[in-house]
Amino acid sequence: MTKEDILNGQVLLIDKPLTWSSFQAVNKLKYALKRHFDLPKKFKIGHAGTLDPLANGLLIICTGKFTKIITEIQAQAKEYTGTITVGATTPSYDLETEIDATFPTDHITEALIKETINKFLGEIDQKPPVYSAIKKDGKRLYEHARAGEEVEIKARKTTMYEFEITRIALPEIDFRIKCSKGTYIRSIAYDFGLALQSGGHLTSLRRTKIGDYAVENAVTPEVFEKNMLDEI
């Protein structure tokens, strides 16, 4: 990889670590590339789809002229694996906030779980989590939530292409999901808990694919930087 490669455009596959924001991952690469290749101060770099700090996995970072295809990459189907924990909910639908309610799980069977999956396949209506970056009345939803303000959130259409249960060890249910752009897996976890006549929240999430790009071909930001140093 050369300075010209970066400026002309590269698609870089990064395995974002847990607790890192997508912005942090982009910045790590940005400063590493600038330092090693003496790039212009404002060279183009950006990511194709945010991944929450509490999730890890595939983050696609584009440089130079390839930043023009970010929208095209974002529109592709995404695949995730993770864990839904049933019997409890949180306001954020994940581990960002504390449990706010608990529910029975004794009635939940493998048959009920597999039957419930069918309700989530195809085009579905989904309400984004109140703890999300969507704007409402000029503020991010999470800003309203943290201020204790109630806001009405409209449901959005999203498509679930595949929903596979890979492990059941109640209260944990592991899954693999392939879905369209704009799907909130946290909302799937919450809605899945409701559909089981219980509660649910997301306790782990890993993005494994975006279109034909796979996390198996990605490296962590630290390994990316080390590989550059090894080439010098």
Side-chain angles (χ1 to χ4, degrees), residues 53 67 69 83 86 89 115 131 157 159 181:
T67 53
I69 66 168
T83 304
V86 293
T89 55
E115 178 189 322
Y131 279 79
K157 297 284 184 190
T159 304
K181 174 192 173 184

Side-chain angles (χ1 to χ4, degrees), residues 4 12 23 25 43 58 62 93 99 106-107 159 169 188 215 224:
E4 289 69 32
L12 308 172
F23 180 74
F43 84 99
L58 183 60
C62 298
Y93 302 172
I99 288 170
D106 292 346
H107 64 286
T159 304
I188 295 294
V215 74
F224 180 85

Side-chain angles (χ1 to χ4, degrees), residues 158-177:
T158 188
T159 304
M160 296 277 282
Y161 304 111
E162 298 173 20
F163 191 172
E164 177 191 2
I165 300 301
T166 55
R167 181 183 71 105
I168 299 171
L170 294 176
E172 293 183 349
I173 301 171
D174 288 357
F175 63 84
R176 182 187 64 83
I177 282 172

